[in-house]
Amino acid sequence: MLIIRNGTLIDPEGQRTFRGDIWIKDGQIARIVEREEKEAGLSEGGQEVEAEVPDGTEIIDATGLLAGPGLIDTHVHFRDPGFTYKEDILSGGQAAKKGGYTGIVLMANTKPCVDNEETLSYVLARGKETGIRISSCATVTKGMQGKELVDMESLKEAAGFTDDGKPLLSEELVEEAMRRVHALGKPISFHEENPAFIKNNGINEGKVAEALGIKGSPRDAEIDLIRRDTALALKTGAKVVIQHISTKEGVELVRKAKAAGADIHAEATPHHFTLTEEAVLEKGTLAKMNPPLREEEDRKAICRGLSDGTIDLIATDHAPHSRDEKKKPLTEAPSGILGLETALPLAIRELVRKGYLTYPQLFERMSLAPAKLYQLPGGRLQEGEVADLVLFKDTENFRVERFLSKSQNSPFIGETLPGVVKMTICGGSIVYREEA
């Protein structure tokens, strides 16, 4: 038995926060005692609460802390198999736990990629060693070549399907993929950057690229494929996810598709709702990612999209790279940054404190909605649900210096952020506890 006492509890499904205790037994939330009930010293049956605490129960004093469902990230790269010098499933799991995550959906662009049952089984088996819930997508096409669909029915253990990292260019193939995943009841996710528009990826085509003497990646590259895939989502009825949205026009296309009845979802990353293309001038390759950071109006549009529910998922696109890789010239270095250990603090600073989201809304975007979309345990703070929780202190700041990830490629190094994760609990077990 584990009791979390006197915390401020975040209930994303009920859209409320309240003071209370959480009783955990056999991996589940056995009881939630609201503060008024607790102060009266009574349980629902009228018996004294304190008298019911079994011997050997660990009691955690959560005074001054917030407690919500464990975070779930639907877009993560752990680089395992094939690129484990950047990250592996165990090191990635450590980073996730420190960030407050109890659920992870991995991308399939490993080596070999997850286009077969053997690789999928390896990833899922390694994931069980982390102490948190690791799922994985499978690829949409064989070898991520964009030519032939995988045997989706044989990959039913996958959380969903995506060729993330490589845009799918054949409209006929995309439509057929949507129809097949619709029959399976799985989501399909798309990396929306048409390479026909792009001269240099990872940097927005705009004033910063011009100052650097390069062409960059224009917003039309994203808009073109989002327009196509929102239309196909409406046509096929598939659960379609627009990954790491970066443009104001893309946000509006998703908004219109949802209004028209499409089963469409969109991800926003912490870096896209926090930074703009100017970060490249200061941070160089540490601010290079696909799709790129864009303009202030795009950043604001993403924040507004999160606020009104047009964007229903906050996903990190956690993308580790080695120091040597990121030291290459801007046009040669790989795109991508770390995200798991800074996502919640950035969301607190940029979304909660600036009035875009309440805490229940934030946890809906970071926990409940991901759980619902990918049919995963967690996301709810209710009796009878799995005891997957994060406890954090939003009044405490920390300086971003080192990560538990194998890689250190973050533009936020050196910044002071609010929101220190004190404890992560998965299935009733404490899997991360801040060192004293």
Side-chain angles (χ1 to χ4, degrees), residues 308-382:
D308 68 18
T310 297
I311 303 171
D312 49 334
L313 306 167
I314 293 175
T316 66
D317 193 11
H318 178 83
H321 293 294
S322 72
R323 189 181 304 274
D324 287 343
E325 288 170 325
K326 278 294 192 178
K327 281 185 176 180
K328 291 180 179 180
L330 188 62
T331 56
E332 299 174 22
S335 294
I337 69 169
L338 301 182
L340 289 168
E341 296 175 57
T342 53
L344 180 58
L346 289 169
I348 292 169
R349 188 183 76 181
E350 298 296 326
L351 301 175
V352 176
R353 291 190 174 179
K354 294 182 180 179
Y356 289 106
L357 295 175
T358 63
Y359 273 120
Q361 290 170 330
L362 177 64
F363 274 74
E364 183 176 26
R365 312 292 189 269
M366 297 188 78
S367 188
L368 179 60
K372 285 181 175 180
L373 178 61
Y374 283 87
Q375 301 176 51
L376 303 172
R380 294 174 172 87
L381 191 73
Q382 295 176 356

Side-chain angles (χ1 to χ4, degrees), residues 88-249:
D88 59 48
I89 291 171
L90 296 181
S91 67
Q94 290 296 106
K97 289 181 279 191
K98 184 181 178 183
Y101 286 90
T102 56
I104 296 293
V105 179
L106 294 175
M107 296 295 97
N109 59 338
T110 50
K111 187 177 182 180
C113 62
V114 188
D115 64 355
N116 61 85
E117 294 176 76
E118 182 180 359
T119 305
L120 177 60
S121 295
Y122 163 79
V123 171
L124 296 180
R126 288 287 281 170
K128 289 178 180 178
E129 299 175 33
T130 64
I132 58 175
R133 305 179 196 277
I134 304 290
S135 305
S136 179
C137 286
T139 63
V140 176
T141 65
K142 293 181 179 180
M144 293 184 66
Q145 295 301 304
K147 297 177 180 178
E148 184 181 357
L149 295 179
V150 297
D151 181 0
M152 291 178 170
E153 289 73 16
S154 72
L155 294 163
K156 60 185 178 181
E157 295 302 312
F161 294 87
T162 182
D163 272 16
D164 177 56
K166 287 191 175 182
L168 291 170
L169 302 180
S170 168
E171 184 170 336
E172 290 182 359
L173 182 141
V174 168
E175 182 174 345
E176 177 59 22
M178 285 189 188
R179 293 190 185 282
R180 287 175 62 180
V181 297
H182 182 47
L184 291 171
K186 300 275 187 177
I188 184 168
S189 305
F190 293 100
H191 185 128
E192 307 288 45
E193 286 190 291
N194 190 335
F197 292 84
I198 300 171
K199 298 296 189 296
N200 304 109
N201 72 5
I203 309 297
N204 182 52
E205 183 182 276
K207 60 184 180 181
V208 171
E210 185 177 348
L212 294 169
I214 60 177
K215 293 294 184 181
S217 175
R219 62 183 55 249
D220 287 342
E222 177 173 278
I223 296 165
D224 180 65
L225 292 187
I226 292 180
R227 182 180 290 115
R228 179 197 71 183
D229 292 339
T230 51
L232 289 175
L234 188 60
K235 181 178 181 181
T236 63
K239 294 179 183 178
V240 171
V241 181
I242 305 300
Q243 296 178 308
H244 41 45
I245 200 163
S246 71
T247 61
K248 61 184 179 182
E249 295 89 348

Side-chain angles (χ1 to χ4, degrees), residues 2-3 102 252 256 264 281 283 324 344 389 405:
L2 177 67
I3 297 177
T102 56
E252 187 58 30
K256 289 179 178 178
I264 197 155
L281 295 175
K283 302 293 183 178
D324 287 343
L344 180 58
L389 303 164
S405 169

